[in-house]
């Protein structure tokens, strides 16, 4: 499935910065270190600063592939299921819920004293097939709200943080308040989204409730930044119980990043009284050539650039990566390289060895101001 990246930066803008960035990045990657198994983990480094580090997990390899399972436990203090809590897998038919895989992940979190993020209750992309006609009918909002109550209620008391609503803003759809063109949003508007947050609060009063969205990092994404800020402001002013904004952080190596623009955006979100977490970090290398060292260096340099600004904002409370190892990334299918090489987009390589991106995250935590 190919994700619509909306207004990701256009290729041509970045060519001129490529060579400069590439040589700087290569220079820094020369300082490659041996992989030390007892090195301070990412979550230990994060915790020293009052931050947290987590990763997305997939129940398939988590319960069948020991090196993957061990890699998750080595670095993360928080996990979020990749797909297992989404609507389609948890309610395959109208009358039957199936929490088998989501429950296994919740138990794994408890057994290993990991915090659990819930992802996600309301998302236009994942309703089960049986909802197809209901969603577009007058019952659409009710069925979505019922689902949110049921899902969040099922995990009551066990999830630290829920992405209650995911990716509701799509300015390109031309709908009121920049809401995505999706029947429940078309009919209910922002009030409906506020209702989703109220339903979530009732279903699990202790969980922190997040709105989660993408493409707010780069120069060309100003329209999305503005739309999301005004949306969050309206949600708050209508009394929606929202605690935080999840910034997905699906980055693209070598895209033009203006740190002042991003700093300002983060502080505007913070001014709304919201916590911020980067919830799905990965760094696509689709715009880079095939050379592995160069790709790793540029991905690491981009990670550093981004995280240094992110962690400077006091409202930011942590980072979650959308996977731990290049062996498993949604980007391989969702955003494949033209040459079909495996993207080098996550902290560990396909054999679970630390890459420069791992060290870039580690050092960003080390540099981060304490909370
Ligand atoms: C992706 C999963 O990684 C894929 O396995 C699945 O096919 C589609 O969804 N933003 C989100 C995540 O909020 O839920 C998406 O996860 C990636 C983009």
């Amino acid at each position: 499935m190919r994700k619509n990246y909306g207004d990701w930066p256009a290729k041509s803008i970045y060519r001129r910065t490529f060579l400069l960035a590439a040589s700087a990045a290569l220079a820094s990657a020369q300082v490659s270190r041996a992989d030390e198994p007892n090195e301070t983990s990412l979550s230990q480094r994060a915790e020293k600063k009052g931050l947290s580090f987590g990763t997305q997990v997939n129940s398939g390899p988590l319960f069948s592939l020991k090196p993957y399972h061990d890699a998750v436990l080595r670095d993360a203090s928080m996990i979020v299921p990749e797909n297992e809590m989404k609507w389609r897998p948890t309610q395959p038919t109208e009358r039957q819920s199936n929490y088998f895989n989501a429950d296994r992940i919740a138990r794994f979190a408890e057994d290993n004293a990991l915090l659990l993020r819930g992802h996600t209750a309301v998302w236009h992309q994942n309703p089960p097939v049986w909802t197809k006609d209901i969603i577009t009918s007058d019952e659409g909002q009710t069925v979505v709200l019922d689902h949110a109550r049921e899902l969040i209620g099922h995990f009551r008391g066990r999830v630290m943080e829920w992405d209650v609503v995911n990716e509701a803003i799509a300015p390109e759809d031309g709908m009121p308040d920049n809401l995505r063109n999706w029947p429940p949003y078309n009919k209910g508007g922002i009030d409906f989204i506020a209702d989703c947050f109220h339903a979530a609060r009732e279903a699990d009063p202790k969980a922190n409730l997040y709105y989660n969205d993408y493409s707010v990092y780069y120069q060309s994404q100003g329209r999305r930044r503005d739309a999301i800020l005004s949306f969050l402001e309206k949600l708050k002013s209508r009394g929606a119980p929202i605690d935080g904004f999840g910034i997905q952080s699906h980055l693209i190596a070598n895209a033009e990043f203006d740190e002042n623009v991003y700093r300002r955006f983060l502080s505007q979100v913070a001014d709304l009284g919201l916590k911020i977490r980067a919830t799905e970090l990965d760094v696509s290398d689709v715009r880079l050539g095939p050379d592995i060292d160069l790709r790793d260096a540029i991905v690491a340099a981009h990670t550093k650039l981004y995280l240094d600004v992110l962690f400077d904002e006091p409202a930011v409370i942590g980072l979650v990566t959308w996977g731990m190892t290049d062996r498993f990334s949604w980007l391989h299918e969702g955003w494949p390289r033209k040459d079909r090489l495996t993207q080098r987009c996550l902290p560990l390589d396909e054999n679970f060895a630390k890459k420069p991106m791992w060290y870039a995250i580690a050092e960003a935590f080390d540099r981060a101001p304490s909370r």
Side-chain angles (χ1 to χ4, degrees):
M1 183 183 56
R2 172 171 277 269
K3 185 179 164 70
N4 174 12
Y5 279 82
D7 51 359
W8 270 30
K11 228 179 200 165
S12 57
I13 310 173
Y14 306 104
R15 291 227 170 89
R16 61 192 155 80
T17 55
F18 176 84
L19 282 177
L20 262 182
S23 55
L26 246 196
S28 74
Q30 305 296 322
V31 202
S32 68
R33 280 138 293 196
D35 194 6
E36 296 170 27
N38 295 324
E39 210 157 20
T40 312
S41 72
L42 295 181
S43 60
Q44 285 166 334
R45 290 167 194 257
E47 275 152 30
K48 272 190 201 152
K49 300 301 174 73
L51 290 159
S52 62
F53 174 79
T55 191
Q56 166 256 80
V57 293
N58 183 296
S59 57
L62 186 63
F63 299 114
S64 63
L65 187 61
K66 190 163 178 346
Y68 172 77
H69 163 278
D70 293 351
V72 168
L73 288 180
R74 200 158 43 237
D75 271 316
S77 67
M78 170 183 275
I79 54 170
V80 55
E82 178 170 24
N83 293 308
E84 290 80 347
M85 287 184 176
K86 288 172 182 169
W87 196 357
R88 197 169 302 168
T90 55
Q91 204 180 356
T93 66
E94 188 169 0
R95 300 196 180 284
Q96 203 186 8
S97 297
N98 179 352
Y99 290 108
F100 180 75
N101 285 321
D103 282 341
R104 282 171 93 194
I105 289 179
R107 262 197 313 277
F108 173 82
E110 281 151 9
D111 291 348
N112 293 287
L114 304 174
L115 299 168
L116 183 61
R117 291 198 93 241
H119 176 84
T120 173
V122 180
W123 188 32
H124 66 285
Q125 252 195 46
N126 206 265
V129 180
W130 61 265
T131 62
K132 192 169 165 282
D133 295 331
I134 309 176
I135 287 256
T136 52
S137 76
D138 288 344
E139 304 289 300
Q141 293 167 64
T142 309
V143 85
V144 172
L145 279 170
D146 285 350
H147 162 67
R149 273 191 209 97
E150 142 92 24
L151 171 75
I152 296 175
H154 177 86
F155 291 101
R156 186 183 177 102
R158 302 170 75 191
V159 167
M160 183 215 186
E161 214 170 88
W162 268 105
D163 289 332
V164 178
V165 176
N166 194 30
E167 304 182 345
I169 295 299
E172 68 279 13
D173 287 0
M175 305 304 284
D177 292 317
N178 293 305
L179 290 181
R180 185 176 294 281
N181 184 9
W182 190 47
Y185 299 155
N186 298 345
K187 296 201 173 103
I190 293 186
D191 286 336
F192 165 68
I193 296 184
D195 289 346
C196 294
F197 277 87
H198 284 294
R201 182 64 97 224
E202 278 164 33
D204 189 349
K206 292 213 175 108
N208 287 316
L209 306 182
Y210 275 60
Y211 173 70
N212 198 51
D213 213 334
Y214 61 91
S215 290
V216 290
Y217 343 102
Y218 296 124
Q219 282 295 83
S220 60
Q221 298 169 336
R223 193 171 166 212
R224 287 188 58 81
R225 277 189 291 276
D226 292 347
I228 287 175
L229 270 175
S230 99
F231 164 73
L232 291 172
E233 219 171 275
K234 286 178 191 156
L235 260 186
K236 288 280 289 186
S237 70
R238 285 170 209 207
I242 172 170
D243 302 298
F245 175 42
I247 302 183
Q248 290 187 3
S249 311
H250 294 293
L251 304 183
I252 182 154
N254 258 355
E256 193 175 33
F257 177 72
D258 181 328
E259 68 173 78
N260 293 325
V261 169
Y262 199 51
R263 263 180 219 288
R264 190 172 129 76
F265 174 69
L266 294 173
S267 80
Q268 286 171 316
V269 175
D271 287 346
L272 295 173
L274 296 172
K275 297 184 187 83
I276 301 170
R277 186 186 297 282
T279 52
E280 305 184 12
L281 177 75
D282 51 24
V283 184
S284 167
D285 68 11
V286 278
R287 297 209 181 139
L288 309 180
D291 184 275
I292 286 184
D293 289 343
L294 191 56
R295 278 195 278 156
D296 284 357
I298 296 173
V299 163
H302 201 73
T303 304
K304 170 186 185 303
L305 200 66
Y306 181 76
L307 292 183
D308 281 349
V309 178
L310 187 80
F311 293 156
D312 262 357
E313 167 52 57
V316 169
I317 59 169
L319 165 67
V320 176
T321 54
W322 204 241
M324 235 9 249
T325 155
D326 293 342
R327 190 180 289 216
F328 308 114
S329 167
W330 73 301
L331 291 176
H332 303 328
E333 278 183 22
W335 193 253
R337 288 177 58 88
K338 287 214 177 72
D339 57 16
R340 309 304 297 187
L341 291 174
T342 300
Q343 290 213 44
R344 312 269 309 172
C345 48
L346 288 166
L348 306 179
D349 73 9
E350 286 178 276
N351 297 312
F352 309 96
K354 291 170 185 165
K355 289 163 49 200
M357 183 179 173
W358 188 96
Y359 289 98
I361 298 173
E363 287 158 17
F365 280 129
D366 294 346
R367 274 190 303 272
S370 291
R371 269 62 188 155

